Amino acid sequence: MKKSKFNLANDNKKNDETSRIVCLGIETTAHTFGVSIAVEENGQGKILSNVRDSYTTKKGGMIPNQAADHHVDVCDVVLKKSLDEAKIKIDDVDVICFSQGPGIGHTLRIGAFFARCLAHMFGKPLVGVNHCIAHLEIARLVTDATDPVLLYVSGANTQVIAYEGQKYRIFGETLDIGIGNFLDCFARELDLGFPGGPHVYELSLKSKKYIELPYVVKGMDVSFGGLLTNLKQKIHKSAFGKEYTKEDLCFSAQETTFAMLVEVAERALNHCDKRELVLGGGVACNKRLQEMCHKMCKDAGFKFYVPEPQYLIDNAAMIAWLGLLEFKVGNILNVEDSKDSKMLPYWRTDDVIVNWR
Ligand code: ATP
Ligand code: FE2
């Protein structure tokens, strides 16, 4: 990462206790286009606005170029709404941040382009942040957790992350698909539309009948691919043989996968010797997953935190907040060099040196 003319790491004015830093964050790693304004005033962080517009479908999954078209369609309106809600003018913004990766290339490109245009046009510094780390940092802002293990459960990602030696390290993760992708594919097979997680949850509430399913935990890693194949076979059978109801399958799929996630989260907490668990990612909105994590933490003596849903699903507030933290230590991209701000679809959580903690 090159340093641009906007290196504020040594700018005493900004490091002053009474200073105010205003940050505009842009999120486009997948289905959500979001813009948020975060501020730090007298050492206190605050989210002033967190506006999003998400691509959805009634049937089938997400088509990447359609999601990108969606982001192009809504970007100006979302930007204006976010500035208006925060009562901030673009001139008052100190820094523009965007989620540089990981994510879907089609949609990441829109965010990187939009952010660089704004930085250029308005003469603002530009910060590219790691989306996965942003999930953890927003949890540290909006809950009382200080040094938590994050169970990060979204569409593409399923990771157990904790801070250790200047990095957010991945202690466990999925060996194939993310839990959200699993739920979305399963829901698509049941003709439930995208995103599938909330539909699966609604149907699960109507059953208490557990159907035995494959349970795959390897150390602190999990795998959902075989389970998805198994469920597809059962759905197929139910269509013809009427052996399994949608409700029983939804209930059992949740119970199995969430038990796997709780098991690896508990193992990571003990392994890392941490005392706090936080949830992040869209699947963390699921009340049953929250309940199971809560019970494990209560039994084992850990503290458990769930940020409110607007900070769990993909959101620009976490991008703005992490961007602000990184801006303060001078992690600034060179706006003049387009390669410096290019998207990083495969950017790993543990590739980032955490120099702001
Ligand atoms: P990331 O880029 O971090 O991988 P993402 O693009 O998958 O994130 P998120 O908003 O974090 O976006 O998560 C979306 C996922 O969350 C979808 O798979 C969706 O089905 C799932 N989801 C949303 N609400 C719920 C819910 N209440 N229960 C279960 N899953 C849910
Ligand atoms: Fe996310």
mmCIF file with all atom_site columns, all heavy atoms in Angstrom, residues 175-197:
data_model
loop_
_atom_site.group_PDB
_atom_site.id
_atom_site.type_symbol
_atom_site.label_atom_id
_atom_site.label_alt_id
_atom_site.label_comp_id
_atom_site.label_asym_id
_atom_site.label_entity_id
_atom_site.label_seq_id
_atom_site.pdbx_PDB_ins_code
_atom_site.Cartn_x
_atom_site.Cartn_y
_atom_site.Cartn_z
_atom_site.occupancy
_atom_site.B_iso_or_equiv
_atom_site.pdbx_formal_charge
_atom_site.auth_seq_id
_atom_site.auth_comp_id
_atom_site.auth_asym_id
_atom_site.auth_atom_id
_atom_site.pdbx_PDB_model_num
ATOM 1   N N   . LEU A 1 175 ? -14.839 -25.553 4.921  1.00 0.00 ? 175 LEU A N   1
ATOM 2   C CA  . LEU A 1 175 ? -13.929 -26.172 3.961  1.00 0.00 ? 175 LEU A CA  1
ATOM 3   C C   . LEU A 1 175 ? -14.520 -26.124 2.558  1.00 0.00 ? 175 LEU A C   1
ATOM 4   O O   . LEU A 1 175 ? -13.848 -26.445 1.593  1.00 0.00 ? 175 LEU A O   1
ATOM 5   C CB  . LEU A 1 175 ? -13.651 -27.627 4.369  1.00 0.00 ? 175 LEU A CB  1
ATOM 6   C CG  . LEU A 1 175 ? -12.969 -27.781 5.741  1.00 0.00 ? 175 LEU A CG  1
ATOM 7   C CD1 . LEU A 1 175 ? -12.894 -29.259 6.151  1.00 0.00 ? 175 LEU A CD1 1
ATOM 8   C CD2 . LEU A 1 175 ? -11.565 -27.171 5.723  1.00 0.00 ? 175 LEU A CD2 1
ATOM 9   N N   . ASP A 1 176 ? -15.789 -25.729 2.439  1.00 0.00 ? 176 ASP A N   1
ATOM 10  C CA  . ASP A 1 176 ? -16.376 -25.613 1.096  1.00 0.00 ? 176 ASP A CA  1
ATOM 11  C C   . ASP A 1 176 ? -17.239 -24.353 1.014  1.00 0.00 ? 176 ASP A C   1
ATOM 12  O O   . ASP A 1 176 ? -16.703 -23.268 0.864  1.00 0.00 ? 176 ASP A O   1
ATOM 13  C CB  . ASP A 1 176 ? -17.125 -26.883 0.678  1.00 0.00 ? 176 ASP A CB  1
ATOM 14  C CG  . ASP A 1 176 ? -17.930 -27.528 1.807  1.00 0.00 ? 176 ASP A CG  1
ATOM 15  O OD1 . ASP A 1 176 ? -18.649 -26.797 2.509  1.00 0.00 ? 176 ASP A OD1 1
ATOM 16  O OD2 . ASP A 1 176 ? -17.855 -28.765 1.982  1.00 0.00 ? 176 ASP A OD2 1
ATOM 17  N N   . ILE A 1 177 ? -18.563 -24.466 1.150  1.00 0.00 ? 177 ILE A N   1
ATOM 18  C CA  . ILE A 1 177 ? -19.420 -23.282 0.975  1.00 0.00 ? 177 ILE A CA  1
ATOM 19  C C   . ILE A 1 177 ? -19.711 -22.618 2.321  1.00 0.00 ? 177 ILE A C   1
ATOM 20  O O   . ILE A 1 177 ? -19.621 -23.252 3.370  1.00 0.00 ? 177 ILE A O   1
ATOM 21  C CB  . ILE A 1 177 ? -20.756 -23.655 0.273  1.00 0.00 ? 177 ILE A CB  1
ATOM 22  C CG1 . ILE A 1 177 ? -21.460 -24.805 1.012  1.00 0.00 ? 177 ILE A CG1 1
ATOM 23  C CG2 . ILE A 1 177 ? -20.509 -23.992 -1.176 1.00 0.00 ? 177 ILE A CG2 1
ATOM 24  C CD1 . ILE A 1 177 ? -22.837 -25.123 0.486  1.00 0.00 ? 177 ILE A CD1 1
ATOM 25  N N   . GLY A 1 178 ? -20.085 -21.334 2.270  1.00 0.00 ? 178 GLY A N   1
ATOM 26  C CA  . GLY A 1 178 ? -20.483 -20.609 3.471  1.00 0.00 ? 178 GLY A CA  1
ATOM 27  C C   . GLY A 1 178 ? -21.854 -21.078 3.940  1.00 0.00 ? 178 GLY A C   1
ATOM 28  O O   . GLY A 1 178 ? -22.645 -21.616 3.155  1.00 0.00 ? 178 GLY A O   1
ATOM 29  N N   . ILE A 1 179 ? -22.148 -20.882 5.230  1.00 0.00 ? 179 ILE A N   1
ATOM 30  C CA  . ILE A 1 179 ? -23.440 -21.304 5.788  1.00 0.00 ? 179 ILE A CA  1
ATOM 31  C C   . ILE A 1 179 ? -24.619 -20.596 5.082  1.00 0.00 ? 179 ILE A C   1
ATOM 32  O O   . ILE A 1 179 ? -25.652 -21.209 4.816  1.00 0.00 ? 179 ILE A O   1
ATOM 33  C CB  . ILE A 1 179 ? -23.490 -21.093 7.333  1.00 0.00 ? 179 ILE A CB  1
ATOM 34  C CG1 . ILE A 1 179 ? -24.864 -21.440 7.928  1.00 0.00 ? 179 ILE A CG1 1
ATOM 35  C CG2 . ILE A 1 179 ? -23.133 -19.682 7.741  1.00 0.00 ? 179 ILE A CG2 1
ATOM 36  C CD1 . ILE A 1 179 ? -25.208 -22.891 7.917  1.00 0.00 ? 179 ILE A CD1 1
ATOM 37  N N   . GLY A 1 180 ? -24.440 -19.316 4.752  1.00 0.00 ? 180 GLY A N   1
ATOM 38  C CA  . GLY A 1 180 ? -25.508 -18.574 4.052  1.00 0.00 ? 180 GLY A CA  1
ATOM 39  C C   . GLY A 1 180 ? -25.746 -19.131 2.663  1.00 0.00 ? 180 GLY A C   1
ATOM 40  O O   . GLY A 1 180 ? -26.898 -19.316 2.239  1.00 0.00 ? 180 GLY A O   1
ATOM 41  N N   . ASN A 1 181 ? -24.663 -19.432 1.945  1.00 0.00 ? 181 ASN A N   1
ATOM 42  C CA  . ASN A 1 181 ? -24.814 -20.052 0.618  1.00 0.00 ? 181 ASN A CA  1
ATOM 43  C C   . ASN A 1 181 ? -25.505 -21.396 0.742  1.00 0.00 ? 181 ASN A C   1
ATOM 44  O O   . ASN A 1 181 ? -26.348 -21.758 -0.080 1.00 0.00 ? 181 ASN A O   1
ATOM 45  C CB  . ASN A 1 181 ? -23.445 -20.259 -0.050 1.00 0.00 ? 181 ASN A CB  1
ATOM 46  C CG  . ASN A 1 181 ? -22.938 -18.994 -0.697 1.00 0.00 ? 181 ASN A CG  1
ATOM 47  O OD1 . ASN A 1 181 ? -23.641 -17.994 -0.745 1.00 0.00 ? 181 ASN A OD1 1
ATOM 48  N ND2 . ASN A 1 181 ? -21.709 -19.029 -1.180 1.00 0.00 ? 181 ASN A ND2 1
ATOM 49  N N   . PHE A 1 182 ? -25.152 -22.120 1.782  1.00 0.00 ? 182 PHE A N   1
ATOM 50  C CA  . PHE A 1 182 ? -25.799 -23.410 2.026  1.00 0.00 ? 182 PHE A CA  1
ATOM 51  C C   . PHE A 1 182 ? -27.310 -23.203 2.192  1.00 0.00 ? 182 PHE A C   1
ATOM 52  O O   . PHE A 1 182 ? -28.121 -23.883 1.565  1.00 0.00 ? 182 PHE A O   1
ATOM 53  C CB  . PHE A 1 182 ? -25.201 -24.079 3.278  1.00 0.00 ? 182 PHE A CB  1
ATOM 54  C CG  . PHE A 1 182 ? -26.063 -25.149 3.857  1.00 0.00 ? 182 PHE A CG  1
ATOM 55  C CD1 . PHE A 1 182 ? -26.055 -26.427 3.324  1.00 0.00 ? 182 PHE A CD1 1
ATOM 56  C CD2 . PHE A 1 182 ? -26.927 -24.862 4.917  1.00 0.00 ? 182 PHE A CD2 1
ATOM 57  C CE1 . PHE A 1 182 ? -26.894 -27.406 3.835  1.00 0.00 ? 182 PHE A CE1 1
ATOM 58  C CE2 . PHE A 1 182 ? -27.762 -25.834 5.427  1.00 0.00 ? 182 PHE A CE2 1
ATOM 59  C CZ  . PHE A 1 182 ? -27.749 -27.114 4.888  1.00 0.00 ? 182 PHE A CZ  1
ATOM 60  N N   . LEU A 1 183 ? -27.681 -22.235 3.053  1.00 0.00 ? 183 LEU A N   1
ATOM 61  C CA  . LEU A 1 183 ? -29.112 -21.992 3.302  1.00 0.00 ? 183 LEU A CA  1
ATOM 62  C C   . LEU A 1 183 ? -29.808 -21.496 2.023  1.00 0.00 ? 183 LEU A C   1
ATOM 63  O O   . LEU A 1 183 ? -30.945 -21.877 1.731  1.00 0.00 ? 183 LEU A O   1
ATOM 64  C CB  . LEU A 1 183 ? -29.287 -20.958 4.423  1.00 0.00 ? 183 LEU A CB  1
ATOM 65  C CG  . LEU A 1 183 ? -28.901 -21.434 5.831  1.00 0.00 ? 183 LEU A CG  1
ATOM 66  C CD1 . LEU A 1 183 ? -28.822 -20.256 6.798  1.00 0.00 ? 183 LEU A CD1 1
ATOM 67  C CD2 . LEU A 1 183 ? -29.889 -22.475 6.350  1.00 0.00 ? 183 LEU A CD2 1
ATOM 68  N N   . ASP A 1 184 ? -29.109 -20.637 1.260  1.00 0.00 ? 184 ASP A N   1
ATOM 69  C CA  . ASP A 1 184 ? -29.707 -20.100 0.031  1.00 0.00 ? 184 ASP A CA  1
ATOM 70  C C   . ASP A 1 184 ? -29.908 -21.195 -1.021 1.00 0.00 ? 184 ASP A C   1
ATOM 71  O O   . ASP A 1 184 ? -30.945 -21.231 -1.695 1.00 0.00 ? 184 ASP A O   1
ATOM 72  C CB  . ASP A 1 184 ? -28.832 -18.971 -0.533 1.00 0.00 ? 184 ASP A CB  1
ATOM 73  C CG  . ASP A 1 184 ? -28.818 -17.753 0.376  1.00 0.00 ? 184 ASP A CG  1
ATOM 74  O OD1 . ASP A 1 184 ? -29.755 -17.596 1.193  1.00 0.00 ? 184 ASP A OD1 1
ATOM 75  O OD2 . ASP A 1 184 ? -27.868 -16.950 0.287  1.00 0.00 ? 184 ASP A OD2 1
ATOM 76  N N   . CYS A 1 185 ? -28.914 -22.097 -1.158 1.00 0.00 ? 185 CYS A N   1
ATOM 77  C CA  . CYS A 1 185 ? -29.033 -23.197 -2.142 1.00 0.00 ? 185 CYS A CA  1
ATOM 78  C C   . CYS A 1 185 ? -30.137 -24.163 -1.721 1.00 0.00 ? 185 CYS A C   1
ATOM 79  O O   . CYS A 1 185 ? -30.937 -24.619 -2.544 1.00 0.00 ? 185 CYS A O   1
ATOM 80  C CB  . CYS A 1 185 ? -27.722 -23.968 -2.252 1.00 0.00 ? 185 CYS A CB  1
ATOM 81  S SG  . CYS A 1 185 ? -26.416 -23.042 -3.017 1.00 0.00 ? 185 CYS A SG  1
ATOM 82  N N   . PHE A 1 186 ? -30.177 -24.444 -0.435 1.00 0.00 ? 186 PHE A N   1
ATOM 83  C CA  . PHE A 1 186 ? -31.209 -25.334 0.112  1.00 0.00 ? 186 PHE A CA  1
ATOM 84  C C   . PHE A 1 186 ? -32.598 -24.713 -0.120 1.00 0.00 ? 186 PHE A C   1
ATOM 85  O O   . PHE A 1 186 ? -33.529 -25.377 -0.581 1.00 0.00 ? 186 PHE A O   1
ATOM 86  C CB  . PHE A 1 186 ? -30.906 -25.534 1.604  1.00 0.00 ? 186 PHE A CB  1
ATOM 87  C CG  . PHE A 1 186 ? -31.946 -26.249 2.404  1.00 0.00 ? 186 PHE A CG  1
ATOM 88  C CD1 . PHE A 1 186 ? -32.446 -27.475 1.994  1.00 0.00 ? 186 PHE A CD1 1
ATOM 89  C CD2 . PHE A 1 186 ? -32.416 -25.693 3.601  1.00 0.00 ? 186 PHE A CD2 1
ATOM 90  C CE1 . PHE A 1 186 ? -33.404 -28.136 2.750  1.00 0.00 ? 186 PHE A CE1 1
ATOM 91  C CE2 . PHE A 1 186 ? -33.369 -26.351 4.359  1.00 0.00 ? 186 PHE A CE2 1
ATOM 92  C CZ  . PHE A 1 186 ? -33.873 -27.570 3.931  1.00 0.00 ? 186 PHE A CZ  1
ATOM 93  N N   . ALA A 1 187 ? -32.719 -23.413 0.148  1.00 0.00 ? 187 ALA A N   1
ATOM 94  C CA  . ALA A 1 187 ? -33.996 -22.715 -0.042 1.00 0.00 ? 187 ALA A CA  1
ATOM 95  C C   . ALA A 1 187 ? -34.396 -22.695 -1.517 1.00 0.00 ? 187 ALA A C   1
ATOM 96  O O   . ALA A 1 187 ? -35.574 -22.846 -1.860 1.00 0.00 ? 187 ALA A O   1
ATOM 97  C CB  . ALA A 1 187 ? -33.887 -21.284 0.485  1.00 0.00 ? 187 ALA A CB  1
ATOM 98  N N   . ARG A 1 188 ? -33.398 -22.531 -2.382 1.00 0.00 ? 188 ARG A N   1
ATOM 99  C CA  . ARG A 1 188 ? -33.695 -22.503 -3.824 1.00 0.00 ? 188 ARG A CA  1
ATOM 100 C C   . ARG A 1 188 ? -34.247 -23.857 -4.242 1.00 0.00 ? 188 ARG A C   1
ATOM 101 O O   . ARG A 1 188 ? -35.166 -23.945 -5.039 1.00 0.00 ? 188 ARG A O   1
ATOM 102 C CB  . ARG A 1 188 ? -32.417 -22.180 -4.600 1.00 0.00 ? 188 ARG A CB  1
ATOM 103 C CG  . ARG A 1 188 ? -32.676 -21.949 -6.074 1.00 0.00 ? 188 ARG A CG  1
ATOM 104 C CD  . ARG A 1 188 ? -31.509 -21.269 -6.737 1.00 0.00 ? 188 ARG A CD  1
ATOM 105 N NE  . ARG A 1 188 ? -30.319 -22.104 -6.709 1.00 0.00 ? 188 ARG A NE  1
ATOM 106 C CZ  . ARG A 1 188 ? -29.072 -21.635 -6.803 1.00 0.00 ? 188 ARG A CZ  1
ATOM 107 N NH1 . ARG A 1 188 ? -28.862 -20.340 -6.900 1.00 0.00 ? 188 ARG A NH1 1
ATOM 108 N NH2 . ARG A 1 188 ? -28.054 -22.446 -6.806 1.00 0.00 ? 188 ARG A NH2 1
ATOM 109 N N   . GLU A 1 189 ? -33.680 -24.919 -3.673 1.00 0.00 ? 189 GLU A N   1
ATOM 110 C CA  . GLU A 1 189 ? -34.146 -26.275 -3.982 1.00 0.00 ? 189 GLU A CA  1
ATOM 111 C C   . GLU A 1 189 ? -35.598 -26.459 -3.531 1.00 0.00 ? 189 GLU A C   1
ATOM 112 O O   . GLU A 1 189 ? -36.347 -27.243 -4.092 1.00 0.00 ? 189 GLU A O   1
ATOM 113 C CB  . GLU A 1 189 ? -33.232 -27.277 -3.254 1.00 0.00 ? 189 GLU A CB  1
ATOM 114 C CG  . GLU A 1 189 ? -33.000 -28.582 -3.947 1.00 0.00 ? 189 GLU A CG  1
ATOM 115 C CD  . GLU A 1 189 ? -32.235 -28.434 -5.257 1.00 0.00 ? 189 GLU A CD  1
ATOM 116 O OE1 . GLU A 1 189 ? -31.434 -27.486 -5.410 1.00 0.00 ? 189 GLU A OE1 1
ATOM 117 O OE2 . GLU A 1 189 ? -32.464 -29.274 -6.127 1.00 0.00 ? 189 GLU A OE2 1
ATOM 118 N N   . LEU A 1 190 ? -35.975 -25.726 -2.480 1.00 0.00 ? 190 LEU A N   1
ATOM 119 C CA  . LEU A 1 190 ? -37.359 -25.804 -1.969 1.00 0.00 ? 190 LEU A CA  1
ATOM 120 C C   . LEU A 1 190 ? -38.243 -24.734 -2.607 1.00 0.00 ? 190 LEU A C   1
ATOM 121 O O   . LEU A 1 190 ? -39.371 -24.510 -2.161 1.00 0.00 ? 190 LEU A O   1
ATOM 122 C CB  . LEU A 1 190 ? -37.367 -25.612 -0.438 1.00 0.00 ? 190 LEU A CB  1
ATOM 123 C CG  . LEU A 1 190 ? -36.719 -26.704 0.420  1.00 0.00 ? 190 LEU A CG  1
ATOM 124 C CD1 . LEU A 1 190 ? -36.632 -26.263 1.876  1.00 0.00 ? 190 LEU A CD1 1
ATOM 125 C CD2 . LEU A 1 190 ? -37.482 -28.017 0.321  1.00 0.00 ? 190 LEU A CD2 1
ATOM 126 N N   . ASP A 1 191 ? -37.714 -24.005 -3.599 1.00 0.00 ? 191 ASP A N   1
ATOM 127 C CA  . ASP A 1 191 ? -38.462 -22.943 -4.313 1.00 0.00 ? 191 ASP A CA  1
ATOM 128 C C   . ASP A 1 191 ? -38.851 -21.782 -3.411 1.00 0.00 ? 191 ASP A C   1
ATOM 129 O O   . ASP A 1 191 ? -39.963 -21.245 -3.496 1.00 0.00 ? 191 ASP A O   1
ATOM 130 C CB  . ASP A 1 191 ? -39.741 -23.523 -4.927 1.00 0.00 ? 191 ASP A CB  1
ATOM 131 C CG  . ASP A 1 191 ? -39.530 -23.868 -6.376 1.00 0.00 ? 191 ASP A CG  1
ATOM 132 O OD1 . ASP A 1 191 ? -38.608 -23.288 -6.983 1.00 0.00 ? 191 ASP A OD1 1
ATOM 133 O OD2 . ASP A 1 191 ? -40.292 -24.708 -6.895 1.00 0.00 ? 191 ASP A OD2 1
ATOM 134 N N   . LEU A 1 192 ? -37.932 -21.383 -2.517 1.00 0.00 ? 192 LEU A N   1
ATOM 135 C CA  . LEU A 1 192 ? -38.292 -20.359 -1.527 1.00 0.00 ? 192 LEU A CA  1
ATOM 136 C C   . LEU A 1 192 ? -37.791 -18.948 -1.859 1.00 0.00 ? 192 LEU A C   1
ATOM 137 O O   . LEU A 1 192 ? -38.106 -18.003 -1.148 1.00 0.00 ? 192 LEU A O   1
ATOM 138 C CB  . LEU A 1 192 ? -37.759 -20.760 -0.135 1.00 0.00 ? 192 LEU A CB  1
ATOM 139 C CG  . LEU A 1 192 ? -38.325 -22.054 0.456  1.00 0.00 ? 192 LEU A CG  1
ATOM 140 C CD1 . LEU A 1 192 ? -37.656 -22.378 1.781  1.00 0.00 ? 192 LEU A CD1 1
ATOM 141 C CD2 . LEU A 1 192 ? -39.830 -21.970 0.646  1.00 0.00 ? 192 LEU A CD2 1
ATOM 142 N N   . GLY A 1 193 ? -36.975 -18.774 -2.905 1.00 0.00 ? 193 GLY A N   1
ATOM 143 C CA  . GLY A 1 193 ? -36.501 -17.422 -3.257 1.00 0.00 ? 193 GLY A CA  1
ATOM 144 C C   . GLY A 1 193 ? -35.234 -17.019 -2.522 1.00 0.00 ? 193 GLY A C   1
ATOM 145 O O   . GLY A 1 193 ? -34.772 -17.710 -1.601 1.00 0.00 ? 193 GLY A O   1
ATOM 146 N N   . PHE A 1 194 ? -34.647 -15.896 -2.924 1.00 0.00 ? 194 PHE A N   1
ATOM 147 C CA  . PHE A 1 194 ? -33.368 -15.419 -2.375 1.00 0.00 ? 194 PHE A CA  1
ATOM 148 C C   . PHE A 1 194 ? -33.587 -14.091 -1.655 1.00 0.00 ? 194 PHE A C   1
ATOM 149 O O   . PHE A 1 194 ? -34.302 -13.230 -2.167 1.00 0.00 ? 194 PHE A O   1
ATOM 150 C CB  . PHE A 1 194 ? -32.365 -15.233 -3.532 1.00 0.00 ? 194 PHE A CB  1
ATOM 151 C CG  . PHE A 1 194 ? -31.068 -14.626 -3.094 1.00 0.00 ? 194 PHE A CG  1
ATOM 152 C CD1 . PHE A 1 194 ? -30.068 -15.405 -2.548 1.00 0.00 ? 194 PHE A CD1 1
ATOM 153 C CD2 . PHE A 1 194 ? -30.859 -13.250 -3.210 1.00 0.00 ? 194 PHE A CD2 1
ATOM 154 C CE1 . PHE A 1 194 ? -28.873 -14.838 -2.133 1.00 0.00 ? 194 PHE A CE1 1
ATOM 155 C CE2 . PHE A 1 194 ? -29.669 -12.681 -2.800 1.00 0.00 ? 194 PHE A CE2 1
ATOM 156 C CZ  . PHE A 1 194 ? -28.675 -13.471 -2.264 1.00 0.00 ? 194 PHE A CZ  1
ATOM 157 N N   . PRO A 1 195 ? -32.990 -13.821 -0.473 1.00 0.00 ? 195 PRO A N   1
ATOM 158 C CA  . PRO A 1 195 ? -32.159 -14.749 0.272  1.00 0.00 ? 195 PRO A CA  1
ATOM 159 C C   . PRO A 1 195 ? -32.981 -15.800 1.012  1.00 0.00 ? 195 PRO A C   1
ATOM 160 O O   . PRO A 1 195 ? -34.076 -15.525 1.489  1.00 0.00 ? 195 PRO A O   1
ATOM 161 C CB  . PRO A 1 195 ? -31.417 -13.827 1.245  1.00 0.00 ? 195 PRO A CB  1
ATOM 162 C CG  . PRO A 1 195 ? -32.306 -12.642 1.419  1.00 0.00 ? 195 PRO A CG  1
ATOM 163 C CD  . PRO A 1 195 ? -33.055 -12.483 0.132  1.00 0.00 ? 195 PRO A CD  1
ATOM 164 N N   . GLY A 1 196 ? -32.415 -16.996 1.106  1.00 0.00 ? 196 GLY A N   1
ATOM 165 C CA  . GLY A 1 196 ? -33.192 -18.124 1.606  1.00 0.00 ? 196 GLY A CA  1
ATOM 166 C C   . GLY A 1 196 ? -33.230 -18.265 3.116  1.00 0.00 ? 196 GLY A C   1
ATOM 167 O O   . GLY A 1 196 ? -34.170 -18.842 3.663  1.00 0.00 ? 196 GLY A O   1
ATOM 168 N N   . GLY A 1 197 ? -32.192 -17.737 3.805  1.00 0.00 ? 197 GLY A N   1
ATOM 169 C CA  . GLY A 1 197 ? -32.085 -17.916 5.254  1.00 0.00 ? 197 GLY A CA  1
ATOM 170 C C   . GLY A 1 197 ? -33.361 -17.597 6.024  1.00 0.00 ? 197 GLY A C   1
ATOM 171 O O   . GLY A 1 197 ? -33.840 -18.420 6.822  1.00 0.00 ? 197 GLY A O   1
#
